[in-house]
Amino acid sequence: MKIELEGLTNRVPGTGDFITIDYAKCNNCECCLIICVMNLWRKKEGKIYIVDDYQSKCLECAACYQICDASAIKFQYPTGGTGIVFEKG
Amino acid sequence: MKDFDLIIVGAGPGGSMAAKTAAEKGLKTIFFERSRKPGEKNSSGCGLGPRMFRDFPEMMKELTPDKCPSMRAGTASRNYFVNNDDIVSGYIMARPTESVSYEPAKSWITMNVYRSEFDPWIAKFATDAGAELKTSTLIVDLLKEDGKICGVIDEKGEKYRAPIVIGADGVISTVAQKSGLRNKWAQNQVTLTLQYDFQAPSDKIDDIMGDETLAVWWGSNFPASYQVFFNDGFHQGLGNWMNWWDKNPLYYLNRVINLKYYQRLLKILDAKPRELQSHLLPWLDYPFNTHTDSVILIGDAGGFPCPLEAEGIYPAMVTGKIAAEVASEAVTSGDVSKATLKRFDEEWQNTSIGKEFEAGCELWNIWKALPFSPKETMSWFVPMIMEILGGIFDWSQPHALRVRQIISHVKSYMPKATPFIMTYVFPLIAKVFEDDLDKLMDPKKIMKVLPKLLDMLPQKKKKRGG
Ligand SMILES: Cc1cc2nc3c(=O)[nH]c(=O)nc-3n(C[C@H](O)[C@H](O)[C@H](O)COP(=O)(O)OP(=O)(O)OC[C@H]3O[C@@H](n4cnc5c(N)ncnc54)[C@H](O)[C@@H]3O)c2cc1C
Ligand code: SF4
Ligand code: SF4
């Protein structure tokens, strides 16, 4: 059984940018690629990045931020009242 | 700028309990929540422990289905043992045992309720007591004057002043960061825990699960996975420390969902996936750096979930209450220094939470080594347990011969089981019974005796009456 993730999360739009990567610090360890449940971190031509539409997919778990020992991932919860809504948490 | 006696960041169970306590003590209290309404951002198992009902009876008696319709008592629990081939090779059902000493723990193991209902319910106690709740407000910094913390700043730059700030802002705590108490957790101090919520008709759950509404799936291909039933749905989740994952965590959760047995359960329960959640959860052997001048950290922000199974709501409430009491005295006396707030540690160490952490290291170690080490440990643990439990109910041979077969097979697990018992089980037993057993549990002594004992077990029955 493959569970379709589409439709399993709800959000209030208007988060603004709340995750950024600092390339001066990233050492390409790829930990963020593994840890993100929503698979929002990718690598292309040797460069790590978060997908453009992450704001509409992110679960705000902060796992990417926590796992990054190089402190290359900056994370701040989105603007108050926006972002993920767990109705059955 | 607005002035208060006490500021609390976060309106989870810890923050709300702190706000309620402080307001009842007459402090002008405000608590902040980044979501539109408490609970919206939070994901838990979510089973409430019986100690909450013992220690906060006046509140908990008001937790009723008309206020929290998702409530379902987890009277009995199931433990499914899943073997290396992803087959459920057995399960144990257990209800509260005869030695359980108080109600409601005698009646059920957990009370299950969604956070979207529980968090607003508990926050209302605080607002009813007179605390001000400010929602949709993200706190981004601490207010400092002459290097001293004296309040908080929200994302719009609005400043709020108070002599003490309680950090109840959960696992990624702005208060911990900005006060210098902790920048980040070490990778083995925090877990990633993800879960599906499934919807299922209430009557199906009644008919199929009866009152067995909590389950743990123990397997060798995934970290132990919990299942918690609510009125019209259930959670299936699992977690592990950050440095454990070698694949997308969802891979492991989907392995549980894809067990044949599980698929059958979904089918008969008429269950459909409804939500996916992922959240960090601190899981420490002992809380550290819980306070400094003008700041106290409680609940997840302070690292208080239980070291064995990470029950975190009760510890958040207990530490929230104590922090507010300590803060109240400090504010009244005008001394909010670290030396005064140290009383917070002394007080929680004296509670049920403190008692739990006395064996924190041993409990944490054993959990890490057993359910959270599926490949290393559960791969032999499950077949060994099932050899014993399942083996004796087998009539393929005369029963005495079966017993000998089982013992001889169990012996084959001993090279793995013995070091495990010595490294993790004996230290825990020694800790639980304090010093008395220390000598008995001397690993060197046991290593000498155990193999001999096993060898003494009869290989072959001697002829009787010869
Ligand atoms: C998947 C999972 C399953 C669990 N299962 C159980 C279980 O079955 N039983 C149990 O007892 N425990 C369980 N726990 C643990 C339990 O959920 C936590 O320990 C508990 O929620 C801690 O309460 P808290 O009040 O300290 O923090 P939280 O509940 O995390 O509350 C913190 C609040 O602060 C808000 N906040 C954070 N930062 C800011 C900011 N900067 N500004 C404003 N607001 C902010 C958040 O939105 C949140 O509402 C589980 C945890 C997880 C992740
Ligand atoms: S975890 Fe951090 S250092 Fe590693 S690849 Fe991702 S951003 Fe770079
Ligand atoms: S916060 Fe969680 S869901 Fe969002 S990008 Fe980071 S790891 Fe992925």
Side-chain angles (χ1 to χ4, degrees):
Chain A
M1 174 187 186
K2 182 150 171 28
I3 296 185
E4 276 309 322
L5 301 186
E6 204 73 33
L8 291 188
T9 52
N10 292 299
R11 281 173 197 79
V12 179
T15 59
D17 241 345
F18 59 97
I19 302 178
T20 48
I21 178 164
D22 177 351
Y23 285 108
K25 290 183 177 163
C26 173
N27 59 24
N28 274 295
C29 72
E30 301 192 2
C31 289
C32 52
L33 267 62
I34 289 175
I35 207 76
C36 180
V37 165
M38 298 303 284
N39 197 20
L40 302 180
W41 289 90
R42 308 283 169 80
K43 189 172 186 174
K44 200 171 156 190
E45 288 158 17
K47 210 172 166 191
I48 303 285
Y49 66 98
I50 188 163
V51 297
D52 285 344
D53 60 347
Y54 78 90
Q55 296 171 14
S56 61
K57 297 214 164 90
C58 175
L59 301 175
E60 296 168 29
C61 67
C64 52
Y65 158 79
Q66 168 63 39
I67 200 74
C68 181
D69 277 330
S71 299
I73 295 178
K74 275 214 186 111
F75 176 94
Q76 184 184 61
Y77 286 125
T79 307
T82 70
I84 193 83
V85 173
F86 294 140
E87 284 166 7
K88 307 285 175 185
Chain B
M1 175 114 61
K2 288 186 180 163
D3 283 286
F4 296 89
D5 295 327
L6 181 64
I7 288 173
I8 298 158
V9 183
S16 290
M17 195 67 195
K20 169 186 183 283
T21 310
E24 282 170 353
K25 292 205 168 283
L27 296 193
K28 189 177 175 207
T29 306
I30 185 165
F31 61 136
F32 294 94
E33 172 54 51
R34 71 183 184 96
S35 60
R36 297 171 307 175
K37 115 182 178 332
E40 243 178 27
K41 298 286 185 186
N42 302 336
S43 118
S44 261
C46 168
L48 307 180
R51 284 181 293 179
M52 285 167 61
F53 294 74
R54 178 193 65 189
D55 296 356
F56 309 112
E58 288 308 310
M59 286 173 80
M60 298 314 292
K61 74 171 189 233
E62 289 187 37
L63 187 77
T64 48
D66 58 317
K67 290 175 198 137
C68 297
S70 66
M71 277 174 76
R72 182 183 282 271
T75 304
S77 63
R78 276 191 200 188
N79 289 279
Y80 295 90
F81 294 103
V82 183
N83 73 13
N84 301 342
D85 300 324
D86 275 350
I87 290 168
V88 174
S89 50
Y91 78 78
I92 299 176
M93 187 272 263
R95 47 185 64 249
T97 60
E98 288 176 4
S99 62
V100 177
S101 59
Y102 66 90
E103 282 295 356
K106 283 168 173 292
S107 300
W108 45 255
I109 293 170
T110 64
M111 178 59 74
N112 308 330
V113 53
Y114 286 125
R115 292 292 294 273
S116 51
E117 294 172 6
F118 180 75
D119 286 24
W121 174 85
I122 188 168
K124 190 162 180 299
F125 283 91
T127 51
D128 284 352
E132 183 182 339
L133 170 62
K134 200 158 182 337
T135 53
S136 296
T137 306
L138 182 72
I139 297 302
V140 294
D141 207 350
L142 293 176
L143 183 64
K144 289 176 191 160
E145 271 168 19
D146 303 328
K148 285 195 175 142
I149 294 163
C150 57
V152 298
I153 307 173
D154 74 13
E155 61 194 316
K156 296 191 185 102
E158 198 87 41
K159 294 174 177 140
Y160 306 82
R161 187 198 291 271
I164 296 190
V165 176
I166 293 182
D169 45 349
V171 59
I172 301 294
S173 167
T174 305
V175 178
Q177 280 167 2
K178 301 292 180 183
S179 63
L181 280 168
R182 182 188 63 247
N183 188 31
K184 227 182 196 182
W185 299 106
Q187 306 300 355
N188 66 353
Q189 289 171 336
V190 60
T191 62
L192 172 69
T193 310
L194 58 151
Q195 62 188 16
Y196 287 114
D197 175 71
F198 287 89
Q199 70 172 67
S202 190
D203 54 342
K204 288 262 181 191
I205 301 176
D206 292 344
D207 289 349
I208 293 161
M209 301 312 298
D211 61 4
E212 297 171 56
T213 43
L214 174 73
V216 183
W217 298 70
W218 307 80
S220 44
N221 293 319
F222 46 81
S225 174
Y226 56 85
Q227 187 176 26
V228 181
F229 286 85
F230 303 88
N231 180 48
D232 74 340
F234 56 94
H235 283 164
Q236 188 73 43
L238 53 72
N240 214 321
W241 279 280
M242 299 301 290
N243 49 358
W244 181 84
W245 304 99
D246 58 355
K247 286 189 188 64
N248 186 320
L250 206 52
Y251 162 85
Y252 290 100
L253 184 54
N254 285 338
R255 253 191 110 145
V256 182
I257 308 298
N258 282 313
L259 296 173
K260 262 195 183 144
Y261 194 107
Y262 199 90
Q263 285 291 315
R264 186 172 65 86
L265 203 56
L266 288 181
K267 195 170 159 194
I268 56 175
L269 281 166
D270 200 6
K272 308 254 161 6
R274 180 162 54 184
E275 200 164 80
L276 172 71
Q277 302 141 14
S278 169
H279 206 282
L280 299 186
L281 166 59
W283 202 320
L284 278 71
D285 58 356
Y286 208 87
F288 62 98
N289 290 356
T290 59
H291 60 280
T292 184
D293 294 335
S294 295
V295 172
I296 305 178
L297 302 179
I298 64 160
D300 279 14
F304 284 102
C306 159
L308 183 71
E309 45 190 356
E311 175 191 11
I313 295 174
Y314 170 70
M317 288 172 70
V318 171
T319 52
K321 179 164 181 277
I322 292 173
E325 287 164 355
V326 170
S328 163
E329 273 185 33
V331 168
T332 313
S333 73
D335 176 2
V336 295
S337 66
K338 183 175 177 183
T340 299
L341 301 186
K342 183 170 174 282
R343 242 199 71 217
F344 171 66
D345 275 357
E346 293 158 8
E347 294 285 330
W348 72 257
Q349 281 161 355
N350 242 329
T351 64
S352 202
I353 304 303
K355 299 276 168 286
E356 195 82 87
F357 278 108
E358 279 173 15
C361 184
E362 291 76 12
L363 293 169
W364 185 89
N365 274 330
I366 206 165
W367 194 268
K368 186 166 195 268
L370 190 64
F372 279 11
S373 293
K375 284 168 214 147
E376 299 79 358
T377 313
M378 298 308 285
S379 57
W380 57 264
F381 185 83
V382 168
M384 187 181 80
I385 290 277
M386 287 321 301
E387 183 62 43
I388 299 167
L389 295 180
I392 45 176
F393 295 111
D394 176 283
W395 56 11
S396 61
Q397 298 283 4
H399 290 93
L401 176 55
R402 279 299 292 139
V403 171
R404 288 198 297 277
Q405 281 181 333
I406 292 164
I407 288 179
S408 129
H409 196 77
V410 167
K411 268 168 72 176
S412 72
Y413 294 113
M414 284 303 134
K416 283 182 170 164
T418 314
F420 177 86
I421 293 169
M422 299 208 335
T423 317
Y424 302 107
V425 183
F426 285 159
L428 179 60
I429 297 176
K431 191 54 160 262
V432 168
F433 292 96
E434 287 162 350
D435 287 341
D436 318 21
L437 282 191
D438 260 7
K439 286 195 194 95
L440 195 78
M441 294 298 164
D442 177 4
K444 280 189 203 119
K445 229 171 159 183
I446 290 164
M447 203 43 182
K448 266 190 186 164
V449 188
L450 207 66
K452 280 186 196 156
L453 264 179
L454 286 166
D455 279 345
M456 275 160 60
L457 290 170
Q459 298 293 330
K460 225 182 189 179
K461 205 176 135 205
K462 282 190 197 119
K463 277 225 170 94
R464 234 192 243 171

